[in-house]
Amino acid sequence: YLKQNAPWYKKFRSEISFDDNFREKVGYSQRALKADDSYKWKHLAKWYGMVDTSLGQASETELIKDKKNNVAITLEKYLFTYGMTREIKQAILDLESWLRDTLILTKDLLPHNIVVGYEGYQIVLKIVDGLGSKSFLPLEKFSDFFAKIYVERRIRLMHLRISKDLSEKTHA
């Protein structure tokens, strides 16, 4: 179904490439996550692998919770509720720094794919969806030089999306 409704240039891809769980598995197997380094998981939900469910295979990841032990809200919901607070600005800067340090590739850093977790009482943003590269020729998968360019572009696009979301909030 997804393949037949895809744009013409995506119809050349294999059927499995349209499976979100498969794409997430590929995203978690990227070269930046191969090294055994706990820092790489600071802003990323831990991935436990594929599990069987009543609906088929699914990607199992860490459940991120807030400081009251409830399921964490998305960055999108946080921004719509509280706006751009000093704490969330700092958390976004920390996420950006981490991305630059680790060169972990994401398709898009969308506010609804990032949740607001906590370490103690400090906000720590966690990416919960959208790992991997969306490039047609993914040179960033093989070269730190291209990975740096790719990560910077993703960060710029995240800021554009946050600005758009916040401007929609003010006009709502």
Side-chain angles (χ1 to χ4, degrees):
Y1 173 76
L2 291 174
K3 187 173 182 174
Q4 66 192 109
N5 291 328
W8 68 268
Y9 57 89
K10 288 188 176 180
K11 291 186 181 192
F12 296 106
R13 294 177 13 192
S14 67
E15 195 72 42
I16 197 162
S17 72
F18 290 90
D19 181 334
D20 283 340
N21 290 303
F22 174 77
R23 288 198 315 258
E24 207 63 21
K25 180 180 180 180
V26 170
Y28 273 101
S29 64
Q30 64 182 274
R31 114 184 129 97
L33 289 170
K34 298 248 187 248
D36 187 23
D37 177 6
S38 62
Y39 177 65
K40 297 204 177 203
W41 298 100
K42 179 175 182 178
H43 293 282
L44 184 59
K46 291 181 180 77
W47 189 69
Y48 300 118
M50 300 298 285
V51 295
D52 289 320
T53 73
S54 59
L55 298 174
Q57 288 262 293
S59 177
E60 182 180 16
T61 58
E62 173 185 18
L63 176 63
I64 311 299
K65 296 190 174 186
D66 66 15
K67 59 187 169 190
K68 293 181 180 174
N69 210 29
N70 297 313
V71 175
I73 63 171
T74 64
L75 176 58
E76 178 180 65
K77 181 169 175 120
Y78 182 99
L79 292 169
F80 283 156
T81 305
Y82 306 107
M84 184 60 80
T85 65
R86 184 180 54 77
E87 295 86 5
I88 208 68
K89 276 184 194 175
Q90 185 57 54
I92 291 169
L93 290 173
D94 291 346
L95 175 64
E96 290 176 22
S97 178
W98 172 84
L99 285 163
R100 289 180 180 111
D101 290 346
T102 62
L103 297 179
I104 290 175
L105 305 177
T106 62
K107 292 181 200 116
D108 287 309
L109 292 166
L110 301 172
H112 66 266
N113 288 340
I114 300 169
V115 296
V116 180
Y118 288 82
E119 284 181 6
Y121 284 93
Q122 182 178 349
I123 293 175
V124 177
L125 298 177
K126 297 266 192 173
I127 300 168
V128 295
D129 194 16
L131 281 186
S133 167
K134 63 187 290 179
S135 297
F136 181 69
L137 293 172
L139 298 174
E140 62 279 357
K141 288 184 177 182
F142 310 103
S143 159
D144 284 353
F145 174 80
F146 289 108
K148 287 175 185 175
I149 294 168
Y150 184 89
V151 165
E152 287 301 324
R153 179 156 172 71
R154 300 274 77 74
I155 290 170
R156 279 194 310 277
L157 291 172
M158 175 184 68
H159 281 287
L160 288 173
R161 180 58 184 261
I162 288 171
S163 295
K164 178 181 175 277
D165 286 354
L166 286 173
S167 75
E168 287 175 1
K169 176 190 176 223
T170 23
H171 294 105

